[in-house]
């Protein structure tokens, strides 16, 4: 009940984020239900399992977005006075998980209603049964299996939110920007392993062995996610090299300090963009008959990834608001702050764009033989 009251009293931006999570959860639930009905109507087709595996990409993107939105929610952050009324760190993390569960469950319910409506099982609204053929309306919907699939997003998002936002012991040096985040070597190793798996399993086209291509891309994406903080930290060091001035020094120190928060979403965006580069290079100018469900899944992955990155950028900007105010109080010109922001954006583009193109080209090489 408290989570529902906080949701009602939240600011407009917070409500829009939660609405995005609910919409993403509804899209994933709809994709899962469509895959279920395809498997029931084509029991001899082994592609149904592959379709279910590919649904894991939008599912993971939605869970990642839900965690990012829960982490950026100001209503679940520790504030003075909350502990006195029984809202300590553990209760706040539980509250964030409950809010995530409520939002994702709402999206899953919308997915079920929309699915039944397009199948023609619910009447009285426009477009009744408009997709009856594609959704195998002649097959009865197994309700237990459907509810199990629809529970995946709320369950996984709630568990991930509880794990990420769990209270941790205070570590004085945990936020020091001077150390290199330790995930960079593991990230590079996973990227190399993912490219090797894709090369070994593919046979000239991604349609030949889609499970192997998916496994290789998943390992590559995980590696880029792990390497993102380290690459962002190195971008900050790059800005401070060769006798930096005040602007470059400020921009570099900010990037180093924010690398652990901003790096993972940047790595995921790099993985999604490199996947698009790989698909473009693999299929070339030939038009692949992308169906509406494939288009929905790809759009969902891109939108969730971009929204997660934007949410993280807004969060880190709000986190340094006190430092920005202090710089203005001591007389720092506003132009220096704007130039530092432009330098940060520029160096990230200069590093991550070539990295994206390189990973995409390497992943596309075994698919274009």
């Amino acid at each position: 009940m408290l989570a529902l009251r906080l949701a009602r009293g939240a600011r407009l931006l917070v409500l829009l984020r939660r609405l995005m999570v609910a919409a993403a959860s509804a899209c994933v639930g709809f994709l899962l239900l469509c895959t279920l009905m395809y498997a029931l109507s084509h029991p001899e087709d082994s592609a149904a399992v592959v379709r279910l595996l590919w649904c894991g990409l939008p599912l993971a993107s939605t869970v990642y977005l839900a965690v990012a939105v829960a982490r950026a929610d100001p209503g679940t952050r520790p504030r003075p006075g909350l502990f006195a009324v029984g809202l300590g760190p553990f209760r706040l993390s539980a509250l964030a998980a409950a809010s995530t569960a409520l939002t994702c469950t709402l999206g899953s319910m919308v997915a079920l209603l929309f699915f039944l409506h397009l199948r023609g099982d619910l009447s009285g609204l426009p477009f009744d049964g408009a997709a009856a053929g594609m959704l195998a309306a002649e097959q009865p919907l197994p309700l237990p299996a459907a509810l199990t699939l629809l529970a995946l997003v709320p369950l996984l998002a709630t568990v991930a939110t509880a794990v990420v936002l769990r209270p941790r012991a205070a570590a004085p040096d945990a936020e020091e920007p001077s150390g290199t985040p330790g995930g960079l070597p593991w990230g590079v190793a996973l990227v190399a392993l993912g490219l090797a798996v894709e090369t070994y399993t593919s046979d000239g086209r991604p349609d030949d062995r889609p499970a192997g291509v998916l496994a290789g891309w998943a390992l590559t994406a995980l590696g880029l996610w792990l390497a993102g903080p380290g690459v962002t930290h190195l971008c900050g060091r790059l800005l401070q090299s060769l006798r930096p001035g005040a602007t470059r020094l400020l921009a570099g120190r900010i990037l180093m300090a924010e690398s652990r928060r901003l790096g993972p979403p940047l790595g995921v965006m790099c993985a999604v963009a490199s996947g698009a580069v790989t698909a473009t290079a693999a299929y070339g100018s030939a038009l692949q008959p992308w169906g509406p469900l494939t288009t929905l899944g790809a759009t969902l992955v891109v939108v969730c990834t971009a929204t997660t990155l934007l949410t993280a950028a807004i969060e880190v900007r709000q986190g340094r608001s006190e430092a920005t105010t202090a710089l203005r109080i001591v007389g720092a010109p506003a132009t220096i702050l704007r130039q530092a922001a432009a330098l940060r954006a520029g160096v990230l583009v200069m590093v991550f764009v070539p990295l994206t193109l390189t990973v995409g080209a390497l992943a596309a090489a075994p698919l274009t033989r």
Side-chain angles (χ1 to χ4, degrees), residues 347-362:
V347 73
L348 288 176
V349 170
M350 290 175 56
V351 172
F352 276 94
V353 169
L355 177 61
T356 299
L357 295 177
T358 301
V359 173
L362 292 175

Side-chain angles (χ1 to χ4, degrees), residues 17 64-78 96-97 100 160-161 164-165 168 175 225 260-262 264-265 311-312 315-316 318:
R17 292 172 183 168
Y64 194 44
L65 173 63
V67 173
V69 169
R71 184 170 183 173
D73 190 349
T76 57
R77 294 177 182 174
T100 301
T161 300
V164 172
L165 299 185
R168 295 181 176 87
E175 299 297 329
W225 176 75
R260 298 180 186 274
R261 186 68 191 94
L262 196 59
T311 301
E315 183 183 4
V316 297
Q318 293 174 348

Side-chain angles (χ1 to χ4, degrees), residues 164-256:
V164 172
L165 299 185
R166 71 188 186 279
R168 295 181 176 87
D173 298 330
E175 299 297 329
E176 286 294 325
S178 57
T180 303
L184 184 57
W186 289 103
V188 174
L190 282 177
V191 169
L193 179 60
L195 294 175
V197 168
E198 184 178 347
T199 303
Y200 179 77
T201 57
S202 62
D203 190 16
R205 298 291 291 179
D207 296 331
D208 296 336
R209 296 183 180 179
V213 174
L214 175 61
W217 188 88
L219 289 173
T220 303
L222 180 59
L224 290 172
W225 176 75
L226 286 175
V231 175
T232 307
H233 194 273
L234 291 178
C235 290
R237 286 193 174 276
L238 179 63
L239 278 175
Q240 298 176 83
S241 61
L242 300 177
R243 296 184 178 182
T247 305
R248 283 202 292 137
L249 185 62
L250 176 63
R253 295 294 290 180
I254 290 177
L255 269 185
M256 292 171 64

Side-chain angles (χ1 to χ4, degrees), residues 12-340:
L12 179 60
L13 182 59
V14 177
L15 290 177
L16 288 177
R17 292 172 183 168
R18 291 176 178 170
L19 182 61
M20 175 66 72
V21 173
S25 177
C27 292
V28 174
F30 184 78
L31 289 174
L32 290 172
L33 291 177
C34 292
T35 304
L36 173 64
M37 296 314 299
Y38 179 85
L40 292 177
S41 59
H42 300 81
E44 73 287 347
D45 192 355
S46 61
V49 179
V50 177
R51 288 191 174 201
L52 183 61
L53 291 178
W54 279 106
C55 288
L57 298 182
L59 174 62
S61 302
T62 301
V63 171
Y64 194 44
L65 173 63
V67 173
V69 169
R71 184 170 183 173
D73 190 349
T76 57
R77 294 177 182 174
R79 284 172 291 177
L82 290 181
F83 188 80
V85 296
L87 291 178
F90 289 97
R91 290 289 299 274
L92 287 176
S93 62
L95 181 62
S99 300
T100 301
L102 178 66
T103 303
C104 294
T105 302
L106 176 63
S108 296
M109 292 173 58
V110 171
L112 179 59
L113 293 177
F114 189 68
F115 180 82
L116 294 176
H117 171 61
L118 290 182
R119 271 172 51 94
D121 297 335
L122 297 180
S123 58
L125 295 174
F127 307 105
D128 287 337
M134 183 181 68
L135 302 182
E138 70 280 358
Q139 295 284 341
L141 177 66
L143 191 58
L147 294 179
T148 301
L149 290 177
L150 290 175
L152 285 178
V153 176
L155 179 61
L156 294 177
T158 302
V159 172
T161 300
V163 171
V164 172
L165 299 185
R166 71 188 186 279
R168 295 181 176 87
D173 298 330
E175 299 297 329
E176 286 294 325
S178 57
T180 303
L184 184 57
W186 289 103
V188 174
L190 282 177
V191 169
L193 179 60
L195 294 175
V197 168
E198 184 178 347
T199 303
Y200 179 77
T201 57
S202 62
D203 190 16
R205 298 291 291 179
D207 296 331
D208 296 336
R209 296 183 180 179
V213 174
L214 175 61
W217 188 88
L219 289 173
T220 303
L222 180 59
L224 290 172
W225 176 75
L226 286 175
V231 175
T232 307
H233 194 273
L234 291 178
C235 290
R237 286 193 174 276
L238 179 63
L239 278 175
Q240 298 176 83
S241 61
L242 300 177
R243 296 184 178 182
T247 305
R248 283 202 292 137
L249 185 62
L250 176 63
R253 295 294 290 180
I254 290 177
L255 269 185
M256 292 171 64
E258 297 174 351
S259 60
R260 298 180 186 274
R261 186 68 191 94
L262 196 59
L266 282 172
V268 174
M269 177 60 74
C270 179
V272 172
S274 64
V277 172
T278 302
T280 303
Y283 290 108
S285 59
L287 293 178
Q288 177 71 9
W290 302 115
L293 299 181
T294 305
T295 304
L296 175 62
T299 303
L300 181 61
V301 170
V302 173
V303 172
C304 287
T305 304
T307 305
T308 302
L309 179 58
L310 180 61
T311 301
I314 294 176
E315 183 183 4
V316 297
R317 181 180 180 181
Q318 293 174 348
R320 64 170 182 271
S321 59
E322 295 183 0
T324 302
T325 303
L327 287 174
R328 290 175 176 172
I329 290 177
V330 299
T335 55
I336 291 184
L337 299 178
R338 289 195 294 267
Q339 290 173 0

